[in-house]
Amino acid sequence: MEFDLHEDDAAFRRDLEAFLHEALPEDWEARSADGPGSEAQAAFSREFCARLAERGWLTPHWPREHGGGDASAWRHALLGELLWSVGEPRGPQYMNVNWIGPAIMQYGSEEQKALHLPRISAGDVLWCQGFSEPEAGSDLVALRTLALRDGDDYVVNGTKIWTSYVNHADYCFLLVRSDPESTRHRGISVLLVPMDTPGIEVREIPSVVGERYFHEVFLRDVRVPVSCRLGPEHEGWGVVSYALQYERVGAARYARAARTLDALAERARSRGQLGDPTVQEKLGEARAQCEAARVLTWRVIDQRAHDLPPSADTNVARVAGTRAEQAVARLALELFGTEALSHGSFADSQFRLAMTAGVAVGATEVQLNLVAQRFLGLPRE
Ligand SMILES: Cc1cc2nc3c(=O)[nH]c(=O)nc-3n(C[C@H](O)[C@H](O)[C@H](O)COP(=O)(O)OP(=O)(O)OC[C@H]3O[C@@H](n4cnc5c(N)ncnc54)[C@H](O)[C@@H]3O)c2cc1C
């Protein structure tokens, strides 16, 4: 594995840094503290993504035929690192470019590709992810939202929960049970559903993560054309497994944690605390965790750049990223108490993200179970 960036990737990073300096408003830190679901941030992220797209920086790693620039997986990873370190100004669109677009590229019909991919690569569309249900979170295959065939449509009934950003979404990447007789991994399908389809009701779940972040989505007799199904009928689990491999290392949360850590160290210096060996040790430990998460993530990116199949390294990287985030958040509290957590402060959003990081995209325990089975070859029970 090469640890140095190629010169053109290093130049790209410098150009992007200069662009961010100009494109992010002065009050960005405070604005982003409200979370990507807030009206202000959602509006900003649309504008920001369109500007990225104009420069070819929204989907640089996609094939040219789909609005990309044929760049390597590294280019996309660098982009994600830098954007996450400044609070992810792409907002919900990080999901589009990380895994929704790639899943459509892999499994979509020609019509679906023509409809969705140009809009994603232009930064012109918001998606949400309709996976979790009240009785199906970690055990996602327990999902019960039913999609029954009726002529050329599916009729969908069920409830989704914890759906992020849905209040602004144009489409939902919806997981349904299309075979009512099926159980577990079989009989699941993916539907690409326009959010203005009649029968969809959205209710916010207030949460500590951010304004208008989580929602319940009620689907009542929602008619979705069969042409909106992504991939083969009843075989949606393969589609989701493919997408989740991208999602788990898609968010460079460790980069944001490292940036918060810089702010912590700076504050410790200004308070005269940096000479304290205990403080130094704690800062060093947290830095090591951020670096470990970065290197483990880079290992996955390297495999992807070499077209190797996804492995449990993805789960290892996810766990390391979560732990790095949590270590930095704990340290902020330890060093500065509640001062670090006042709304809009440097460590506030870090803390809120860290609290939920071990649950999102599969709880840490679930990731560890996957590592035990796939990496260490241990039995399931
Ligand atoms: C920030 C955030 C954003 C999210 N966004 C979305 C979204 O956009 N769309 C969407 O569909 N969902 C979303 N979710 C939901 C997320 O996918 C679920 O919360 C997650 O899958 C866990 O499911 P659950 O909440 O039902 O918890 P449960 O499945 O009830 O798990 C609770 C806890 O039990 C433990 N546990 C569960 N199973 C096992 C096991 N097999 N072994 C050991 N321990 C276990 C874990 O500690 C886990 O944290 C989001 C969640 C968060 C926190």
Side-chain angles (χ1 to χ4, degrees):
M1 178 172 172
E2 276 271 356
F3 278 93
D4 279 337
L5 292 179
H6 287 292
E7 180 42 40
D8 55 345
D9 283 331
F12 167 72
R13 183 147 75 180
R14 287 193 295 275
D15 288 348
L16 183 60
E17 274 168 345
F19 170 73
L20 287 177
H21 189 68
E22 175 260 315
L24 295 182
E26 272 182 19
D27 65 345
W28 169 248
E29 188 87 32
R31 209 193 276 203
S32 63
D34 288 334
S38 70
E39 290 295 337
Q41 206 185 324
F44 176 76
S45 76
R46 275 195 194 255
E47 215 180 280
F48 178 83
C49 286
R51 289 188 67 189
L52 274 184
E54 271 169 29
R55 287 166 173 72
W57 290 349
L58 189 62
T59 52
H61 59 307
W62 284 17
R64 277 190 202 285
E65 58 171 317
H66 298 311
D70 279 335
S72 78
W74 281 109
R75 184 63 59 92
H76 177 57
L78 286 177
L79 184 79
E81 247 182 36
L82 211 53
L83 294 176
W84 270 86
S85 77
V86 296
E88 189 44 283
R90 288 175 298 184
Q93 291 196 50
Y94 85 88
M95 295 197 301
N96 296 5
V97 302
N98 281 351
W99 64 268
I100 292 174
I104 294 173
M105 248 179 256
Q106 178 79 8
Y107 292 99
S109 64
E110 289 311 311
E111 291 73 22
Q112 288 168 340
K113 289 181 196 172
L115 174 66
H116 295 299
L117 297 178
R119 289 193 67 188
I120 293 179
S121 64
D124 182 36
V125 62
L126 299 187
W127 283 75
C128 65
Q129 164 191 330
F131 290 3
S132 307
E133 297 184 5
E135 302 302 326
S138 299
D139 191 21
L140 189 53
V141 291
L143 70 93
R144 290 197 300 212
T145 293
L146 210 53
L148 294 180
R149 279 291 278 265
D150 181 23
D152 289 338
D153 291 340
Y154 290 101
V155 180
V156 183
N157 281 283
T159 305
K160 295 289 172 179
I161 197 165
W162 311 123
T163 324
S164 312
Y165 327 120
V166 65
N167 49 325
H168 302 294
D170 304 298
Y171 285 93
C172 182
F173 195 98
L174 185 73
L175 212 53
V176 294
R177 190 161 292 288
S178 45
D179 175 1
E181 305 301 322
S182 68
T183 54
R184 311 297 293 166
H185 304 78
R186 296 172 203 282
I188 290 173
S189 294
V190 173
L191 301 179
L192 308 177
V193 182
M195 282 304 294
D196 59 2
T197 311
I200 303 180
E201 187 195 344
V202 172
R203 283 190 215 152
E204 187 187 355
I205 307 172
S207 86
V208 70
V209 190
E211 204 181 296
R212 304 184 75 178
Y213 198 107
F214 289 131
H215 304 82
E216 275 178 294
V217 181
F218 301 94
L219 302 132
R220 297 190 190 93
D221 292 332
V222 178
R223 295 195 83 89
V224 181
V226 170
S227 60
C228 292
R229 192 188 66 237
L230 183 67
E233 187 171 49
H234 308 327
E235 289 176 32
W237 190 249
V239 179
V240 170
S241 305
Y242 178 85
L244 284 180
Q245 292 298 331
Y246 281 87
E247 170 74 336
R248 283 181 176 138
V249 291
R253 289 154 165 266
Y254 59 86
R256 181 170 184 146
R259 181 70 71 105
T260 307
L261 195 58
D262 290 344
L264 285 182
E266 204 37 59
R267 184 160 292 214
R269 183 194 309 282
S270 70
R271 301 270 175 96
Q273 290 171 285
L274 212 51
D276 180 341
T278 314
V279 172
Q280 289 175 4
E281 190 181 328
K282 285 175 193 274
L283 286 168
E285 273 174 13
R287 172 70 62 194
Q289 282 190 266
C290 293
E291 279 301 291
R294 182 177 63 80
V295 172
L296 287 164
T297 302
W298 280 25
R299 183 156 71 176
V300 176
I301 305 302
D302 192 52
Q303 290 164 358
R304 200 171 287 166
H306 287 93
D307 286 329
L308 294 170
S311 74
D313 283 326
T314 311
N315 309 97
V316 174
R318 174 77 196 175
V319 172
T322 301
R323 289 186 172 163
E325 278 202 289
Q326 292 170 342
V328 172
R330 268 198 311 274
L331 188 56
L333 259 190
E334 221 178 292
L335 293 181
F336 304 110
T338 51
E339 181 199 339
L341 301 182
S342 59
H343 186 68
S345 79
F346 65 104
D348 165 44
S349 48
Q350 174 68 48
F351 193 79
R352 286 185 279 132
L353 275 175
M355 270 198 295
T356 55
V359 181
V361 202
T364 297
E365 291 78 4
V366 173
Q367 306 292 342
L368 290 173
N369 285 345
L370 292 170
V371 173
Q373 289 154 27
R374 294 181 189 165
F375 219 50
L376 306 175
L378 297 175
R380 278 183 75 88
E381 296 287 326

